[in-house]
Amino acid sequence: MSAVSLGAYVLDCPDPAALAGFYGALLDWPDLAVEPGAEWATLRDPGGGPALGFQRDPEVRASTWPSRERHQMAHLDFQVADLPAQHERALALGARLLDDSHESFWVYADPAGHPFCLCR
């Protein structure tokens, strides 16, 4: 076993509870009990993988991808079995489609503007 392992990937955002709710619904991870206005929220992977953390930063600005005006710096890739079905689900949860020109992945922005991909 490595001396270092990934415990969580953390996204800065204006509203940690709201963004944790979005990703919790997208991933079908259990509901998260976080107080509105909290500075931090964590979603734990029920399968034991790394957690997703959400840290309040009221000044964070959404990426303008694909424009390089405000870089994305990093993004999350989610594997899905049925891309069209998960596309509809992501949109219903509040994601915004950025690019569906590729067969193997489509790019979205979460409600706080972070890019992520749904990948076949």
Side-chain angles (χ1 to χ4, degrees):
M1 175 179 213
S2 172
V4 178
S5 63
L6 180 62
Y9 186 86
V10 180
L11 297 169
D12 290 349
C13 59
D15 187 343
L19 199 57
F22 168 80
Y23 280 106
L26 183 72
L27 296 167
D28 283 330
W29 289 4
D31 288 347
L32 177 67
V34 174
E35 296 295 318
E39 295 297 311
W40 185 274
T42 302
L43 281 174
R44 302 234 179 263
D45 179 350
L52 281 176
F54 307 90
Q55 177 175 283
R56 180 177 307 284
D57 181 348
E59 295 182 21
V60 71
R61 295 178 61 203
S63 167
T64 57
W65 188 93
S67 163
R68 298 187 59 78
E69 179 184 339
R70 283 192 307 277
H71 297 268
Q72 67 175 325
M73 301 293 290
H75 70 274
L76 298 168
D77 283 349
F78 298 106
Q79 293 299 128
V80 299
D82 184 340
L83 184 54
Q86 293 306 317
H87 162 80
E88 292 301 326
R89 190 162 168 270
L91 295 180
L93 291 169
R96 184 171 42 93
L97 179 65
L98 298 177
D99 181 2
D100 63 356
S101 65
H102 305 276
E103 280 191 40
S104 60
F105 67 93
W106 294 348
V107 184
Y108 301 82
D110 69 23
H114 302 99
F116 71 93
C117 296
L118 296 180
C119 307
R120 292 186 200 264

